[in-house]
Amino acid sequence: MNYHLPVSVVRAATAVALLASIAVTALCASSYPASADTYPSRRITFVVPYPAGGATDVLARLLANKLSESWKQAVVVENKSGGGGVVGNDNVAKAQPDGHTVLIGITQIIQAPSLVTKLPYDVFKDLAPVTQIALSTIVLVVPEQQPIKSVKELIDYAKANPGKPYGTFGNATTSHLYGELLKKTANIDMTHVPYRGSAPLTNDLLANTITSAFQDLTTASAQIQAGKLRPLAVGGEKRRKALPDVPTMAELGYPGFEIEGWLGVFVPAGTPKEIVKKLSDELARIIASPEGVAGIETLSLVPVGGSAETFEKVLRRDYEKWADVVKATGVKGE
């Protein structure tokens, strides 16, 4: 015997079945990783773990604008500061691994594991390198009011006047590590004065409140050109185009300063390799372009670029080197 269900029941059952089919289809689609062919499929967010206005923020906006032009997709910059960069780093480490949330990080990310007892993420397990953007040069400077003309004269002065203040742009930063490394290698006694960033450090240098400082060249460049700060040496393996007559610390016989600061791009671990490569290739192209080089050099940074694999080698090398510096100097994070 044929039994016919009421039309209203049939319609309801059909609707339920249709919704279930849509749900299953969506679930299946979400189980597959994003494809490089469809990436980017929506807005890309560049997370900067520091306040707006600094060199990292300015550089992120430069890259975001160029990437948006190239890919015809919105690329926005979000500043998620706090914890010396930890808050923003962690935000990306825990983001969806689809290439749409990108971290613009600095050397701190590879120094922190040796400086801080516990971090909410593991840089090698929770983040994937994309490309190294640029090197950030640290320059040892003294105020123009100081008679000191060389690193040797600074060391002689420190030995004759123990306890004199030297400034850094923050506790447990590259600036601080460099300062303590100089104290140890030159066997001098100077008092560390940490500042909350490069701007207030520069203000006190100009006021001759502190004797010397390891300052980032991005911030110090204008004052050096104006003759208000005197550069004595730079970190890194090579002299800088912006300061061709200023020797490296290594040239002067002080090892350990070859390792230097940088800015780089990361995505959450688990992001498909083809997406990482697509993003890496395009950012490397932008960095190497005439506009990219000009924009980066305007910030007194040294353009790098390169593949994700090359950047990963830099991370692992620098992790070991900074760990050695931290151990040697005894610097601790907050």
Side-chain angles (χ1 to χ4, degrees), residues 135-141 151 174 178 181 213-217 231-241 243 246-252 254-261 302 322:
L135 299 177
S136 177
T137 301
I138 299 294
V139 56
L140 176 58
V141 295
V151 173
T174 301
Y178 267 23
L181 185 59
F214 278 104
Q215 177 67 293
D216 65 279
L217 185 57
L232 305 182
V234 294
E237 296 179 346
K238 301 177 181 178
R239 294 192 183 197
R240 293 299 177 225
K241 183 166 68 173
L243 299 172
V246 179
T248 65
M249 292 294 294
E251 281 183 72
L252 299 175
Y254 296 97
F257 296 88
E258 297 86 352
I259 183 174
E260 56 191 317
V302 181
W322 283 118

Side-chain angles (χ1 to χ4, degrees), residues 143-183:
E144 63 172 339
Q145 298 94 323
Q146 291 287 338
I148 299 165
K149 300 292 196 302
S150 66
V151 173
K152 181 181 182 304
E153 289 184 11
L154 174 63
I155 291 171
D156 290 343
Y157 174 83
K159 288 182 176 179
N161 301 274
K164 287 293 183 179
Y166 85 91
T168 69
F169 48 72
N171 184 64
T173 60
T174 301
S175 175
H176 185 194
L177 289 167
Y178 267 23
E180 294 302 304
L181 185 59
L182 179 61
K183 284 171 59 177

Side-chain angles (χ1 to χ4, degrees), residues 313-327:
K313 291 178 182 177
V314 170
L315 293 178
R316 295 191 178 279
R317 178 201 68 193
D318 285 7
Y319 171 80
E320 297 294 340
K321 288 188 174 183
W322 283 118
D324 290 342
V325 172
V326 171
K327 184 177 180 180

Side-chain angles (χ1 to χ4, degrees), residues 9-293:
V9 174
V10 173
R11 286 176 176 170
T14 301
V16 170
L18 180 59
L19 289 173
S21 175
I22 292 172
V24 170
T25 300
L27 181 62
C28 290
S30 66
S31 66
Y32 289 96
S35 166
D37 295 332
T38 59
Y39 171 78
S41 60
R42 55 185 171 83
R43 184 184 76 177
I44 296 174
T45 299
F46 279 6
V47 174
V48 175
Y50 301 98
T56 308
D57 177 70
V58 173
L59 186 56
R61 293 177 192 279
L62 169 68
L63 294 179
N65 289 338
K66 291 300 181 183
L67 186 62
S68 180
E69 290 175 7
S70 175
W71 281 354
K72 311 302 179 186
Q73 181 63 264
V75 183
V76 300
V77 174
E78 289 188 4
N79 300 91
K80 294 184 179 293
S81 59
V86 172
V87 171
N89 297 343
D90 189 47
N91 176 268
V92 176
K94 292 179 170 58
Q96 187 72 20
D98 57 13
H100 291 90
T101 304
V102 179
L103 173 68
I104 308 299
I106 66 171
T107 329
Q108 171 273 346
I109 201 169
I110 209 70
Q111 296 168 333
S114 300
L115 293 163
V116 181
T117 304
K118 187 176 181 181
L119 291 167
Y121 56 85
D122 184 312
V123 64
F124 293 112
K125 294 180 180 179
D126 300 325
L127 289 164
V130 176
T131 191
Q132 187 177 20
I133 306 170
L135 299 177
S136 177
T137 301
I138 299 294
V139 56
L140 176 58
V141 295
V142 295
E144 63 172 339
Q145 298 94 323
Q146 291 287 338
I148 299 165
K149 300 292 196 302
S150 66
V151 173
K152 181 181 182 304
E153 289 184 11
L154 174 63
I155 291 171
D156 290 343
Y157 174 83
K159 288 182 176 179
N161 301 274
K164 287 293 183 179
Y166 85 91
T168 69
F169 48 72
N171 184 64
T173 60
T174 301
S175 175
H176 185 194
L177 289 167
Y178 267 23
E180 294 302 304
L181 185 59
L182 179 61
K183 284 171 59 177
K184 182 175 180 61
T185 55
N187 192 28
I188 56 176
D189 175 20
M190 298 186 79
T191 302
H192 175 223
V193 181
Y195 289 80
R196 291 185 177 275
S198 294
L201 169 59
T202 298
N203 290 338
D204 272 11
L205 277 167
L206 297 178
N208 199 28
T209 303
I210 52 178
T211 305
S212 62
F214 278 104
Q215 177 67 293
D216 65 279
L217 185 57
T218 299
T219 304
S221 181
Q223 302 301 335
I224 290 173
Q225 292 176 11
K228 295 182 178 180
L229 293 179
R230 184 179 303 117
L232 305 182
V234 294
E237 296 179 346
K238 301 177 181 178
R239 294 192 183 197
R240 293 299 177 225
K241 183 166 68 173
L243 299 172
D245 297 327
V246 179
T248 65
M249 292 294 294
E251 281 183 72
L252 299 175
Y254 296 97
F257 296 88
E258 297 86 352
I259 183 174
E260 56 191 317
W262 44 253
L263 300 93
V265 182
F266 301 81
V267 290
T271 301
K273 289 185 177 181
E274 62 268 23
I275 288 180
V276 174
K277 186 177 189 309
K278 185 174 183 179
L279 180 61
S280 176
D281 288 349
E282 186 58 25
L283 287 176
R285 185 195 67 78
I286 291 171
I287 291 165
S289 70
E291 298 87 352
V293 170

